[in-house]
Structure formats: C-alpha cells, structure tokens
Amino acid sequence: MICFLFITSFVTPASRVLKSGGKIAIIFSNRLFLSKAVGLWTGSDDIEHAYTVGCYLHYCNGGFKDIKAKDLSTRKQKGNERVIVGDPLYVVTAVKT
C-alpha cells in the first residue's frame, strides 16, 4: 500500500491488510500542500509530525506495537552541528500484533 497525503485514510485499512508480525513504515518529510494539510500538521514541527503518525498507529485500534520513529535525513557536519542537507526525511515504523 502507498500512503500519499492523508495518513488518516491509510492506517486503518493497513491494519486490516497486514498479517500478524507484518511491518508498516510510513515515510514523510516536512513538505506539504498548505491548502490540503490539516491544522494539526501545519502548526507543528518535524518531531511533532513523527509523534502524530505514531499516535495514529497506537490509537487506530489496528493492533500495532513497537512503534518507533527515525530521522533518515542526510546530514553534513558544519562546525559543531550536523545540519540537514536537502529535504528532511523521517520514518515511523510499527509491527502488527
């Protein structure tokens, strides 16, 4: 299954399709269509986006466990910091119980 734009219409069908032990990975960046995104998404930062996706997986009654978020962004050392090069990229993963 491919999720494009709306996670709310994706998580519940995915929970019906996946077998026990099946894995789900939802990958996203901070790029969006302002006219289509909900206020919860437009008014939050990248960490809050990952938290929101994780909450959908947790509370959708789809039986997901081991929910984890990871930053997949390419980074480059710049002084004492590692800054993102290009678009940021994140993934939230879970396992169907």
Side-chain angles (χ1 to χ4, degrees):
M1 296 179 79
I2 296 173
C3 174
F4 182 70
L5 296 182
F6 302 109
I7 188 167
T8 54
S9 61
F10 174 73
V11 172
T12 302
S15 69
R16 288 193 302 260
V17 172
L18 287 173
K19 294 181 181 179
S20 181
K23 297 178 182 177
I24 185 169
I26 299 170
I27 300 172
F28 57 93
S29 78
N30 65 0
R31 303 298 182 239
L32 55 91
F33 297 107
L34 276 174
S35 62
K36 301 205 181 272
V38 295
L40 179 67
W41 197 264
T42 60
S44 58
D45 63 19
D46 297 334
I47 292 172
E48 292 169 321
H49 292 161
Y51 181 78
T52 300
V53 173
C55 285
Y56 274 112
L57 291 169
H58 179 77
Y59 292 109
C60 76
N61 295 325
F64 291 106
K65 64 179 183 175
D66 299 328
I67 301 168
K68 298 175 185 170
K70 186 172 182 179
D71 183 348
L72 302 176
S73 306
T74 302
R75 294 182 181 269
K76 181 179 181 180
Q77 194 70 35
K78 187 173 184 180
N80 292 333
E81 295 184 42
R82 290 187 48 80
V83 296
I84 294 175
V85 177
D87 291 341
L89 188 64
Y90 307 93
V91 63
V92 175
T93 59
V95 178
K96 173 83 169 150
T97 54

